[in-house]
Amino acid sequence: MVADLTLVTAGAMTANVAGYLLQLLAGRWLGVTGYSEFASLLAAQLLCAVPALALQNVVARELVRGAGVAALRGLRWRCAVIVAVVAAVLVPLVTVTLHVGVGAAAAALGAAPALVLLSGEQGILQGGKRFRALGVVLGVAGIARVAPALVVLALGGGAAPALWAAAFGIAVAALFARVAAGSPRSRVRAGTGEDEVVAAVGVLPVLRAAQVQAALMALSSADLIVVRIVLDDVDASRYALGTIAAKIAFWLPQAVGVVLYPRMAQPTHSAQAIRAALAVLSGIGMVAVLGAALAAPLAPLLAGKDYAPIQGLLWLFALHGALLAVLQGAMLSAIAVDRTALAVVTWVGLAVEVTLMVSFARSVPALITTAASVAASTTLLVAVIVLRTADHPTRAEPLSPGG
C-alpha cells in the first residue's frame, strides 16, 4: 500500500503543483481586479467535474466487482454526451451569476465532457489497481491542462483564452489516458470462476454517486462563488488566492482515497480501509495546517504585496481544506459501499454555509471562519455516521444493464 500511495501521490502532486502554479501566476498576471473572474470560473469548472469524479468512482467500484471494461467504456461515452448537453445549457446561467463573458463561461464548462472521458480511463486503472500507470496519467493530465493556459496568460491573454487552452489540454490528456489504459484482456471474477460481466452499464449508479460528489464539490467551492457576490473585486481576489492553501490541504492526501478505494469496495476489507483512510487523512491535515502557518510570511513574496492582508489567515484556509479532505474520504467510502443517501448531511451543510455567508459575512476573515466552521461540523457528523456503520456492511448488487 505504501508503494501504491507513493506512485499515485507523485502523479497527483505533479498535477496539483501545476494547478497551484497556474493560479499563482494567474493571480500575478491578471492582477487583483482580474483574478477573481478566473478563480470563480475555475470553481465553476470544478463543479462541472462532479460527473467525471463520480464516473471514476463507479467505474473503479464495478471493475472490482467484475464488470467488463468494454461495458464501462460505453458508460463513459454516454456520460460524456449527457454532460456536454448539460454544460451547454448552463453557460447562460454561469454568465449571469458570475458576471463574466459568454466566451469565458463556455470555455470553463466546455472542458466537462473531456474530463468525463479522462476520468473514465482513470477509473479503469484505479479499479484494476494499476497505480503506476494511474500516477503517470494523473501527472500528465495536470501538466497538459496547465501548460497551454500558462502560455496563453504569459502572452497576455485573458481568462477566456486561457480556459479554452486548458480545455484543449484536458482533451489531449483524455486521449493519452485511453492509450495508457489499453484494452485489458478478459478477467475471471474472483471466487466465482465466471467471466467478467459484459452487459451494458446504466447511468443511474453514476447519478447516485454524482450527487455525493456534487455535495462535496459544492461545499468546497461555494465560498469562491459567494465572495464574488458579497465582496469587492480586490477582497474577492485576496480570498481566492487564500483558497490556494485550502486546495493544497484538500488535494495533498488525494492518493489515500484513490489507493484505498478498491479495498473499500470489497466487503471483507471495507471497514478496515475506511478507518485507515480517515486516520491518515486526519494526520496529513494536521501537518498541512502547521505548514500553512509556518509558510504564511512567504505569501506576499510569492503573490505580491497586495495579498499581505490574508497572510495571517492562511492557516485557517488550510484547516478548511484539511477538513474537506477528511469529508471526502468519508464520502468516498459511502460511494464504495453504495450508501449515497449520506450525502444529505453535506447538502444541509452547504445550505447552512451559503445562508450564513450571504446573510452575515462581509469580510475575508468572516467568510473563511464561516466556511471552516461549517466544514468542521459537517465532517464530524459524517465521519461519526461512517465509522458507526463500517462494521455492518451491506453488499450492493452489481450494476444491471438498465442501471
Side-chain angles (χ1 to χ4, degrees), residues 87-223:
V89 172
L90 289 177
V91 168
L93 178 61
V94 172
T95 300
V96 173
T97 303
L98 299 184
H99 309 291
V100 298
V102 175
L109 303 184
L115 284 170
V116 169
L117 296 176
L118 171 62
S119 293
E121 297 301 327
Q122 290 177 174
I124 291 172
L125 293 173
Q126 182 183 7
K129 299 183 181 179
R130 298 164 60 192
F131 295 115
R132 182 184 298 274
L134 179 59
V136 172
V137 169
L138 289 172
V140 169
I143 294 173
R145 175 193 178 197
V146 169
L150 283 179
V151 171
V152 170
L153 289 172
L155 294 176
L163 289 167
W164 279 119
F168 172 77
I170 293 171
V172 172
L175 179 61
F176 174 80
R178 175 63 179 83
V179 174
S183 301
R185 293 180 179 179
S186 178
R187 300 179 296 112
V188 175
R189 298 182 64 181
T192 66
E194 300 175 358
D195 290 338
E196 62 183 359
V197 179
V198 296
V201 181
V203 299
L204 185 57
V206 179
L207 294 178
R208 290 199 299 267
Q211 63 94 16
V212 177
Q213 293 287 358
L216 179 64
M217 291 298 103
L219 188 62
S220 66
S221 304
D223 56 336

Side-chain angles (χ1 to χ4, degrees), residues 122-383:
Q122 290 177 174
I124 291 172
L125 293 173
Q126 182 183 7
K129 299 183 181 179
R130 298 164 60 192
F131 295 115
R132 182 184 298 274
L134 179 59
V136 172
V137 169
L138 289 172
V140 169
I143 294 173
R145 175 193 178 197
V146 169
L150 283 179
V151 171
V152 170
L153 289 172
L155 294 176
L163 289 167
W164 279 119
F168 172 77
I170 293 171
V172 172
L175 179 61
F176 174 80
R178 175 63 179 83
V179 174
S183 301
R185 293 180 179 179
S186 178
R187 300 179 296 112
V188 175
R189 298 182 64 181
T192 66
E194 300 175 358
D195 290 338
E196 62 183 359
V197 179
V198 296
V201 181
V203 299
L204 185 57
V206 179
L207 294 178
R208 290 199 299 267
Q211 63 94 16
V212 177
Q213 293 287 358
L216 179 64
M217 291 298 103
L219 188 62
S220 66
S221 304
D223 56 336
L224 268 175
I225 295 175
V226 172
V227 297
R228 288 278 295 175
I229 300 172
V230 301
L231 297 179
D232 58 37
D233 286 342
V234 173
D235 278 342
S237 290
R238 286 171 177 157
Y239 187 98
L241 199 74
T243 60
I244 294 179
K247 289 182 174 68
I248 291 174
F250 181 64
W251 293 112
L252 181 65
Q254 180 184 18
V256 175
V258 171
V259 171
L260 289 176
Y261 182 82
R263 293 175 63 84
M264 292 179 188
Q266 295 176 311
T268 55
H269 299 102
S270 181
Q272 181 182 7
I274 291 170
R275 290 194 189 92
L278 295 183
V280 174
L281 289 170
S282 298
I284 295 176
M286 287 186 241
V287 173
V289 173
L290 178 60
L294 295 176
L298 299 176
L301 298 177
L302 295 174
K305 62 181 181 180
D306 289 331
Y307 296 99
I310 65 168
Q311 174 180 329
L313 298 172
L314 289 182
W315 72 270
L316 193 53
F317 279 100
L319 177 61
H320 182 218
L323 289 166
L324 291 174
V326 178
L327 178 61
Q328 181 184 45
M331 299 310 294
L332 277 176
S333 71
I335 296 175
V337 298
D338 220 357
R339 288 176 173 167
T340 53
L342 185 60
V344 73
V345 178
T346 306
W347 284 117
V348 171
L350 172 65
V352 171
E353 177 180 290
V354 172
T355 300
L356 292 176
M357 284 183 169
V358 172
S359 301
F360 304 107
R362 291 297 181 272
S363 67
V364 173
L367 285 162
I368 186 56
T369 299
T370 301
S373 299
V374 172
S377 302
T378 305
T379 300
L380 179 60
L381 181 56
V382 171

